[in-house]
Amino acid sequence: MNQPQTSPPLSERVSDAAALITGTRTIRCPHSGCRVSVRYRHVTPDEAKRLIDLATDHTRH
């Protein structure tokens, strides 16, 4: 059962925006209420996929 995703708090959104300036990507778990996120930059496409899969699969954290 998928729950709707809620927006992260303003402080996290500001931090995510600042990270974008440095070329860092932030991926968040889409599960409502889950605060897990992964940030990365300068990784191979395979590693980026692995990190995205880790962050978005709520059963793994």
Side-chain angles (χ1 to χ4, degrees):
M1 177 166 145
N2 289 339
Q3 296 180 355
Q5 183 176 5
T6 59
S7 270
L10 179 60
S11 61
E12 289 182 21
R13 289 185 291 167
V14 168
S15 179
D16 292 351
L20 279 174
I21 293 170
T22 66
T24 303
R25 296 266 331 255
T26 303
I27 307 299
R28 297 192 177 284
C29 177
H31 192 271
S32 180
C34 184
R35 303 283 307 263
V36 169
S37 65
V38 173
R39 282 196 176 156
Y40 66 88
R41 72 176 178 174
H42 304 299
V43 299
T44 65
D46 288 340
E47 179 66 2
K49 181 180 179 340
R50 187 187 74 78
L51 293 170
I52 291 167
D53 290 345
L54 178 64
T56 59
D57 184 355
H58 186 68
T59 62
R60 294 176 69 185
H61 48 80

